[in-house]
C-alpha cells in the first residue's frame, strides 16, 4: 500500500479494498504520512463533514494540479464554496441539462456513424472520449479545433491530482508544461470573452457577481479547469466502465446476458447506470485535510493531516451492499458515493447520467452483439483518483 502506483495500475483493486476494510479500515501510511479510509460510513463522513474535514489543501501539500484548483469549487469550504457553486449551478440543473439531450443525441449519432459498419473499434477513442469533450467544449464556447488539446490537458490533471506526497515520489515530476499551456489558453479565452461575451459558461462566469464582487482570475481559471476535467473524465470512464460491466469483463460475475436484456428492456438502463456507478465508480478516491484533531474508525487523526477517502472501496462495503462483488441491475435503490456526498456532491452528475444514458442506449441499439474483443489487452489509465481503461477494443455484428 505504501506504493500507490501498484493500486493505481490495477484493473481489479477490489480484493485489496476488501482486505483493508477488514484489517485496517482507517490507517496511516508511514512513508507518505497519509491516512487511508475504506469503510462506507467513514468515507461518507470524510466527504460530507466539512467542519471536520476540509477540501482545502495546505499550500505545502499542493501539487502543481492542486495549485491550479486552489481557488475552485473542489478545494473550497463553505461559505465561499456555496457562493461559488451558486454561480454555475443553474447551468447544471436537471431542466437545463435535459435541454442538452437533442444535441447529445446528435453528437452520439455522428460519432457512431463513423464506426458502425466496421464491426470493431476502440470505444474510448470512437465515443466515450469525444462525446463529453465536445459537449463541455460547446458549453464553454471552445472552438472545435481545440478539442484535442482538452484531452491532453485533462489527462495531465488527473495523473497529478491530490496532495503532493500522495504518490510517494513514484510518479516522477508533475506536468507543469501541460498545466501552463492550459492556464495560458484559458487566460486568453477569458480576455477574449471580456471583449466579446457570448452565450457560454465562461462569459456567464465573467458577468457573475458574489456580494457585488466579480470572480478573481484564479477563481475563473479554477472554474475552467474543473469544468474541463469534471466534464470529461467522469463521463468518459462511466461509459467505458459500463460497457465492461455489461459485457462481463474484467472479472465480472452474475447477470449473464445483461447486454441483451438491456436492449430488450431500455427502461432498465438508468438503473443499470447507477449500478455501474457503484460497481465500477469512475472516481475511486478524494482527498481531505483534518481541520482539528478528530477520531475516525477508532483512530485519532491530528489536525492538519491529509486523508484519502477510498470511494471505490466504500461502494463495495459488505455492510451496505449485499453481494457487492456482483454486478446486479436489479439491486434497486443504490446509495453509492460515486458522485461524492454533501456540499461537494458532483455538480455535473445530471449531465454525466444523461450523456451515459444516451450514449449507452445508442451503443446497445446500433452495435448488436457488442462484446469486448477477445484479444483486448485492457490497461488502466494511471491516476490516483480516476478508474477507467485507456483503450476499450470492442467488436459487434454488422
Amino acid at each position: 500500500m505504501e506504493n500507490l502506483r501498484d493500486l493505481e495500475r490495477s484493473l481489479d483493486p477490489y480484493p485489496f479494498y476488501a482486505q483493508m476494510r477488514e484489517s485496517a479500515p482507517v490507517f496511516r501510511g508511514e512513508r507518505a504520512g497519509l491516512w487511508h479510509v475504506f469503510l462506507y460510513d467513514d468515507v461518507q463522513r470524510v466527504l460530507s463533514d466539512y467542519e471536520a474535514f476540509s477540501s482545502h489543501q495546505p499550500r505545502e501539500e499542493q501539487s502543481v494540479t492542486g495549485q491550479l484548483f486552489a481557488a475552485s469549487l473542489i478545494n473550497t469550504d463553505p461559505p465561499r464554496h456555496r457562493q461559488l457553486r451558486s454561480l454555475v449551478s443553474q447551468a447544471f440543473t436537471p431542466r437545463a441539462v435535459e435541454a442538452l439531450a437533442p444535441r447529445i443525441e446528435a453528437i452520439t449519432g455522428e460519432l457512431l456513424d463513423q464506426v458502425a459498419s466496421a464491426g470493431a473499434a476502440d470505444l474510448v477513442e470512437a465515443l466515450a472520449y469525444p462525446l463529453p469533450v465536445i459537449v463541455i467544449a460547446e458549453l464553454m464556447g471552445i472552438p472545435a479545433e481545440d478539442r484535442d488539446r482538452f484531452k491532453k490537458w485533462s489527462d495531465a490533471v488527473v495523473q497529478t491530482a491530490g496532495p503532493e506526497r500522495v504518490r510517494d515520489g513514484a510518479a516522477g515530476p508533475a506536468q507543469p508544461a501541460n498545466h501552463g499551456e492550459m492556464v495560458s489558453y484559458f487566460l486568453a479565452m477569458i480576455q477574449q470573452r471580456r471583449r466579446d461575451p457570448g452565450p457560454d459558461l465562461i462569459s456567464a462566469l465573467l458577468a457573475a457577481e458574489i456580494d457585488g464582487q466579480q470572480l478573481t482570475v484564479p477563481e475563473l481559471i479554477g472554474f475552467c479547469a474543473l469544468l474541463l476535467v469534471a466534464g470529461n473524465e467522469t463521463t468518459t470512464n462511466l461509459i467505458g466502465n459500463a460497457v465492461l460491466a455489461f459485457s462481463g469483463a474484467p472479472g465480472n460475475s452474475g447477470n449473464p446476458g445483461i447486454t441483451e436484456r438491456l436492449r430488450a428492456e431500455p427502461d432498465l438502463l438508468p438503473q443499470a447506470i447507477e449500478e455501474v456507478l457503484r460497481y465500477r465508480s469512475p472516481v475511486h478516491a478524494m482527498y481531505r485535510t483534518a481541520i482539528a484533531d478528530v477520531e475516525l474508525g477508532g483512530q485519532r487523526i491530528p489536525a492538519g493531516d491529509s486523508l484519502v477517502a477510498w470511494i471505490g472501496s466504500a461502494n463495495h462495503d459488505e455492510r451496505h451492499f449485499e453481494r457487492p462483488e456482483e454486478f446486479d441491475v436489479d439491486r434497486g435503490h443504490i446509495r453509492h458515493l460515486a458522485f461524492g456526498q454533501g456540499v461537494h456532491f458532483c455538480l455535473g452528475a445530471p449531465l454525466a447520467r444523461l450523456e451515459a444514458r444516451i450514449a449507452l442506449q445508442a451503443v446497445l441499439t446500433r452495435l448488436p452483439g457488442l462484446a469486448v474483443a477477445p484479444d483486448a489487452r485492457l490497461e488502466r489509465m494511471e491516476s490516483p483518483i480516476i478508474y477507467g481503461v485507456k483503450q476499450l477494443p470492442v467488436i459487434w455484428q454488422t
Side-chain angles (χ1 to χ4, degrees):
M1 182 59 193
E2 285 299 326
N3 186 355
L4 293 180
R5 299 291 283 173
D6 293 338
L7 187 57
E8 290 170 28
R9 291 192 180 105
S10 175
L11 268 176
D12 188 13
Y14 299 99
F16 173 78
Y17 291 156
Q19 176 187 341
M20 299 309 295
R21 287 194 299 271
E22 292 303 318
S23 63
V26 177
F27 89 103
R28 186 177 187 271
E30 293 182 2
R31 188 159 47 191
L34 290 164
W35 290 90
H36 300 269
V37 184
F38 293 93
L39 293 180
Y40 182 103
D41 288 341
D42 293 336
V43 169
Q44 183 181 47
R45 182 186 173 195
V46 170
L47 294 178
S48 61
D49 187 358
Y50 62 84
E51 293 182 341
F53 304 101
S54 173
S55 296
H56 178 70
Q57 294 173 18
R59 185 160 185 84
E60 64 271 14
E61 290 281 328
Q62 292 175 6
S63 61
V64 175
T65 297
Q67 295 168 27
L68 180 67
F69 288 111
S72 75
L73 271 173
I74 201 170
N75 274 0
T76 55
D77 299 316
R80 187 59 174 174
H81 175 270
R82 294 193 189 96
Q83 295 172 326
L84 293 174
R85 188 180 178 100
S86 69
L87 294 180
V88 292
S89 61
Q90 294 304 309
F92 293 98
T93 62
R95 175 178 291 184
V97 168
E98 195 62 37
L100 299 172
R103 179 58 182 147
I104 296 171
E105 290 171 352
I107 296 169
T108 300
E110 292 168 4
L111 292 170
L112 289 181
D113 284 344
Q114 299 176 33
V115 298
S117 62
D122 173 3
L123 199 66
V124 170
E125 180 182 17
L127 177 65
Y129 148 62
L131 172 62
V133 168
I134 293 171
V135 171
I136 202 66
E138 290 185 353
L139 282 173
M140 296 174 70
I142 302 299
E145 59 268 21
D146 292 338
R147 292 171 188 160
D148 286 344
R149 302 166 74 182
F150 266 38
K151 179 60 174 174
K152 178 179 69 174
W153 296 338
S154 184
D155 285 349
V157 168
V158 299
Q159 288 170 10
T160 57
E164 181 66 30
R165 58 199 169 111
V166 73
R167 307 178 70 82
D168 279 343
Q175 303 184 37
N178 283 328
H179 291 3
E181 182 183 334
M182 178 172 61
V183 169
S184 296
Y185 180 89
F186 283 133
L187 282 172
M189 184 64 65
I190 289 168
Q191 292 170 359
Q192 190 274 333
R193 292 294 192 276
R194 288 190 195 277
R195 297 189 302 268
D196 184 22
D200 57 81
L201 273 177
I202 295 178
S203 296
L205 290 172
L206 278 166
E209 293 185 353
I210 301 176
D211 297 333
Q213 294 184 336
Q214 293 185 314
L215 292 172
T216 66
V217 170
E219 286 172 336
L220 287 165
I221 294 295
F223 260 125
C224 290
L226 182 59
L227 288 167
L228 161 66
V229 176
N232 173 8
E233 297 292 346
T234 299
T235 306
T236 293
N237 292 296
L238 175 54
I239 294 170
N241 291 349
V243 171
L244 288 173
F246 295 170
S247 64
N252 196 25
S253 62
N255 282 302
I258 186 62
T259 302
E260 291 75 13
R261 184 179 174 194
L262 290 173
R263 186 177 293 112
E265 302 177 49
D267 290 344
L268 190 60
L269 184 56
Q271 184 171 315
I273 290 172
E274 295 306 306
E275 175 67 344
V276 173
L277 286 163
R278 181 201 70 81
Y279 183 71
R280 293 289 183 262
S281 306
V283 177
H284 262 218
M286 290 298 292
Y287 305 100
R288 295 291 188 267
T289 302
I291 296 176
D293 291 357
V294 62
E295 183 172 319
L296 187 71
Q299 300 289 333
R300 178 184 171 276
I301 300 175
D305 276 16
S306 295
L307 303 92
V308 186
W310 289 99
I311 294 171
S313 174
N315 284 339
H316 281 242
D317 190 340
E318 302 84 351
R319 297 154 188 81
H320 279 261
F321 305 101
E322 294 183 5
R323 300 168 286 101
E325 303 310 320
E326 290 186 19
F327 181 78
D328 183 3
V329 297
D330 296 311
R331 194 175 290 276
H333 181 64
I334 306 168
R335 296 186 60 189
H336 60 70
L337 301 177
F339 288 124
Q341 189 79 6
V343 298
H344 284 282
F345 184 83
C346 179
L347 194 64
L351 179 58
R353 286 179 165 123
L354 178 66
E355 289 177 329
R357 175 171 59 81
I358 291 173
L360 291 167
Q361 187 61 67
V363 164
L364 292 168
T365 301
R366 299 191 56 184
L367 309 181
L370 181 74
V372 176
D375 58 348
R377 297 184 61 184
L378 300 177
E379 182 180 359
R380 179 175 167 179
M381 63 178 298
E382 293 186 14
S383 169
I385 61 172
I386 299 294
Y387 179 87
V389 291
K390 294 180 180 179
Q391 297 90 25
L392 182 52
V394 295
I395 56 174
W396 60 90
Q397 301 166 2
T398 58

